Amino acid sequence: MSEQTDAPHPATAFEDARAVRRAIRSGEWRGHTSGLAPAHVQGNLMILPAALAPDFQRFCQQNPKPCPVIGVSQPGARDLPILGADLDITTDVPGYRIYERGEMVAEVADLRDHWRDDLVTFVLGCSFSFEAALIEAGIPLRHVAQGRNVAMYRTSIETIPAGPFHGPLVVSMRPMKAADAIKAVQITARVPAVHGAPVHLGDPSLIGIRDIAKPDFGDPVAIEPDEIPVFWACGVTPQAVAMAARLPLCITHSPGFMLVTDLLNRDLPFV
């Protein structure tokens, strides 16, 4: 599945969330969604059998930084009207991953042939949603400028378990100059619905990352000598949890390939 990381990201082609979803549904867009419809909230997916949904809801409540819930579907429902009038969970994400017993068994472009009447969709806030605010504040984001997916890493920080759900925290990383990092903390701390403030700044080894040049998910980006890596809790955490917990079945988005909703970033709850 191409992530289209070599060319500049054509964000201006998709300023509207519905246009993004239509392009994804038709197969016109199959890349990551960083920079697309920048005014709109993007979401991570965790799709589970209904029997596992209560435990995952509790897991999210106990781990709100990586798993801020912005929407939950009815069992078997392919729509989520609270997030988009014409939204279809099975077709409107550029890439999905299917896990069985902790192993990824397929990566697919849609879920039409994999849908079940007992599946419940959780949509979790995504850090892509605060990137527009950072850029508006004059903070450059290298992966956006280069049309790349954000770099994501498993850490040595453990999540708080709930039922079968347990595993490591995953973080996304953006290199910044120190002054920009301070501004980024101030900006993102106000939006806990999309992960809030960073969980770590500086030395990656302190959170168990051995090689910053080799992300576990997404694309690597250079860190210049006058920059520090800044790490936010990431909605890919449920994928690491699914692998650690060896869940019988779960479906997620491919890392960086998000659901673009009709919600506006400006309407997120601020603190």
Side-chain angles (χ1 to χ4, degrees):
M1 181 177 297
S2 171
E3 296 190 2
Q4 303 182 12
T5 58
D6 295 327
H9 200 302
T12 54
F14 299 111
E15 294 291 334
D16 174 75
R18 292 189 182 187
V20 172
R21 295 198 299 271
R22 285 195 296 268
I24 292 169
R25 196 177 304 165
S26 69
E28 178 186 353
W29 183 258
R30 282 285 175 248
H32 65 78
T33 57
S34 175
L36 294 184
H40 289 267
V41 174
Q42 298 197 25
N44 305 274
L45 293 188
M46 184 65 160
I47 303 173
L48 297 158
L52 290 171
D55 279 335
F56 186 69
Q57 181 81 53
R58 190 158 52 90
F59 178 82
C60 293
Q61 292 169 343
Q62 295 180 169
N63 298 277
K65 291 283 281 187
C67 300
V69 177
I70 60 173
V72 184
S73 77
Q74 295 295 322
R78 293 166 43 151
D79 63 344
L80 247 171
I82 192 173
L83 300 182
D86 65 340
L87 188 152
D88 187 332
I89 291 295
T90 67
T91 60
D92 292 359
V93 171
Y96 303 83
R97 289 184 169 183
I98 301 173
Y99 292 87
E100 293 178 359
R101 298 174 183 85
E103 300 290 334
M104 189 178 75
V105 296
E107 191 163 21
V108 297
D110 66 69
L111 298 176
R112 291 183 180 96
D113 295 334
H114 303 275
W115 197 249
R116 296 180 0 186
D117 290 341
D118 68 330
L119 292 178
V120 174
T121 300
F122 289 81
V123 181
L124 311 175
C126 171
S127 61
F128 288 174
S129 294
F130 62 59
E131 290 183 340
L134 296 180
I135 292 170
E136 287 174 9
I139 301 173
L141 299 177
R142 187 162 294 122
H143 70 283
V144 174
Q146 296 178 348
R148 292 177 175 267
N149 199 349
V150 72
M152 294 163 272
Y153 306 83
R154 292 185 184 88
T155 72
S156 57
I157 303 169
E158 287 295 315
T159 57
I160 300 172
F165 296 94
H166 70 277
L169 176 71
V170 174
V171 294
S172 60
M173 186 279 292
R174 295 160 182 83
M176 297 178 182
K177 295 181 179 180
D180 287 338
I182 292 170
K183 286 196 293 185
V185 170
Q186 295 169 336
I187 291 168
T188 59
R190 300 184 60 219
V191 280
V194 290
H195 303 304
V199 295
H200 183 67
L201 294 82
D203 188 349
S205 68
L206 296 179
I207 55 173
I209 298 172
R210 295 183 178 180
D211 189 346
I212 197 70
K214 296 180 179 178
D216 296 299
F217 312 95
D219 300 321
V221 292
I223 301 174
E224 301 300 333
D226 62 345
E227 294 175 331
I228 59 173
V230 184
F231 300 91
W232 278 265
C234 178
V236 173
T237 297
Q239 298 189 35
V241 166
M243 289 183 270
R246 299 189 61 80
L247 300 177
L249 172 69
C250 77
I251 301 171
T252 72
H253 63 293
S254 296
F257 291 46
M258 303 298 176
L259 176 69
V260 181
T261 78
D262 288 351
L263 301 182
L264 294 172
N265 296 320
R266 69 185 183 209
D267 295 332
L268 288 169
F270 285 78
V271 296

